[in-house]
Amino acid sequence: MTADVLASIRDMLEHRADGLYGLHDVTQREHALQSAWLAERDGHPPALISAALMHDIGHLVHDLGDNPAEDGIDDRHEELGNAWLAKHFGPEVSEPVRLHVAAKRYLCATETDYFGKLSPDSVLSLSLQGGPMSAGEVAAFEALPHYAEAVQLRRYDDEAKVKDLTTPPVGHFMRYVGVCLRG
Ligand code: FE
């Protein structure tokens, strides 16, 4: 039932996203809302706004603590998130989520100043995730249908760590999720 899926997404974001986002002073909820808000601000379609809102849902469906990279664990949250999202949404939502960690490895390989802008926990997790992409990996990544959206999502992900920023609430963004949900 689509109404049930919508309700559980909303519940996850409203009630099970109080943990801190990595080593930052924002909660998982604030991080999700800031990401979605940036995508909305830039006029992206509902699919990218929804992907931004739910890109770390894989962190919420497992329980490895707030910053597993600190313990040397790559939680592969993008795979968990994708597996869950792909059951309910098309690839325009699930693929940017699946690829948002690879997009960090991509940007480290293709933009000279990108690495220097990463937060300490992103640098730590980068090494667990395989480091910057090789030239061959870059070419393969650019051949994927939703790679550009994944790169855009990654930029929002990096920005969405502002302490005490007031955003619209979860309910505001559910309209976008609703139109993307597969019936
Ligand atoms: Fe994130």
Side-chain angles (χ1 to χ4, degrees):
M1 272 275 293
T2 57
D4 293 346
V5 176
L6 273 184
S8 69
I9 291 167
R10 188 168 180 154
D11 177 64
M12 225 179 303
L13 290 167
E14 283 183 339
H15 303 294
R16 283 186 277 159
D18 293 310
L20 286 182
Y21 179 70
L23 301 178
H24 303 273
D25 289 330
V26 296
T27 63
Q28 290 281 348
R29 180 185 314 103
E30 290 168 322
H31 176 65
L33 291 172
Q34 289 182 26
S35 299
W37 202 29
L38 289 165
E40 184 187 50
R41 178 200 68 185
D42 287 349
H44 286 291
L48 190 58
I49 299 170
S50 299
L53 183 72
M54 300 185 287
H55 78 272
D56 282 331
I57 214 154
H59 280 311
L60 305 181
V61 296
H62 77 55
D63 194 12
L64 288 174
D66 296 337
N67 188 28
E70 211 171 26
D71 302 318
I73 298 168
D74 176 6
D75 65 5
R76 304 195 62 77
H77 71 280
E78 73 281 16
E79 299 289 350
L80 287 167
N82 169 62
W84 195 86
L85 291 173
K87 285 191 273 183
H88 308 294
F89 298 91
E92 64 282 1
V93 174
S94 61
E95 281 294 282
V97 173
R98 182 175 73 87
L99 299 172
H100 83 276
V101 170
K104 175 172 70 170
R105 299 184 53 230
Y106 171 81
L107 284 166
C108 284
T110 56
E111 282 187 14
T112 43
D113 61 339
Y114 181 76
F115 179 81
K117 289 188 278 185
L118 287 178
S119 57
D121 53 340
S122 283
V123 172
L124 183 59
S125 56
L126 175 70
S127 62
L128 295 169
Q129 290 153 351
M133 283 184 175
S134 66
E137 287 174 319
V138 164
F141 189 68
E142 288 175 345
L144 297 171
H146 296 285
Y147 96 92
E149 288 89 344
V151 169
Q152 189 57 63
L153 172 53
R154 182 73 223 180
R155 296 189 196 280
Y156 296 145
D157 189 8
D158 292 329
E159 263 187 78
K161 299 171 180 176
V162 181
K163 190 177 190 286
D164 297 330
L165 183 72
T166 303
T167 65
V170 174
H172 170 79
F173 295 104
M174 293 311 294
R175 71 194 70 176
Y176 302 114
V177 179
V179 298
C180 294
L181 203 57
R182 275 207 288 244

